[in-house]
Amino acid sequence: INAMADDINLWQKSTLNSIIQKGVLTVGLEPGYMPFEMKDKQGNIIGFDVDMANEMAKAMGVKLQLVPTAWDGIIAGLLTGKYDIIMSGMTITQERNLKINFANPYISVGQTILASKKHAGKKWSDLDKPEYTIVTKIGVTGEIATRKMFKKAKIRTFETEADAAQEVLNGNADGMVYDKPYNAIFFAEKGATGKLVHLDEELTYEPLGFAIRKGDPDFLNWLNNFLNQTQHDGTYKKIYDRWFAD
Ligand code: ARG
């Protein structure tokens, strides 16, 4: 009887239960990370994560509310209840996983280097020289990789991925270390300037996952089964093809 009472109590405390009660799923994400979340010309937030969030809300039978949040406070925002879940291309790192739970990975990426054209054909280690500057975004896995790998080059960090990429385009930096999908799209959009090269060898292994607060097995179970279902019934593939079509 006590065990049963505990189960009911757990469900009452579950974020999934409160989502159903409220009739709305709130999702924290930071736009600017192509193709997962970015703004279109009208200012709407679109992307892979947004499409997945829509499917998720539909499967729950609730409305979807996106909560744009700066990367810097995105985990804190989850922990203080500003939204139910983070769907923002977040890499599952063991350090983050000490503070939050992740559903099973929904895709994996790796760090690559968006570099000045003059570095075409080079390896990352050729760029680790004191005369070179490597840029990345602050607080992301790109920064962790940069600091681990580049011991001699100058390192500069930026608030947004767009500002970091712009530095390479402007010739103020030699390379930007960031998630491959972002670099590939930036290169596809700006490669015609003849100023860039994408050194697209993946330097890290990074599974991305949706993050929730700890201690919520009911929500975690629902998410993992939602992922499994959509990955096998064509829903995931349709969304993937929409954002990763070549
Ligand atoms: N995958 C990287 C990380 O977890 C970058 C994610 C950035 N996401 C975003 N929406 N800006 O650190």
Side-chain angles (χ1 to χ4, degrees), residues 29-34 36-37 49 69 71 74 87-93 96 109 111 137 139-144 161 178-179 206-208:
L29 78 187
E30 185 202 45
Y33 176 65
M34 308 179 290
F36 292 89
E37 42 271 325
D49 284 329
T69 305
W71 190 255
I74 204 161
M87 299 177 71
S88 196
M90 185 175 277
T91 303
I92 302 172
T93 69
R96 288 171 181 161
V109 304
Q111 299 298 311
K137 177 177 157 87
V140 295
T141 48
E143 183 184 7
I144 298 170
E161 41 276 86
Y178 203 45
D179 300 31
E206 305 197 18
L208 308 185

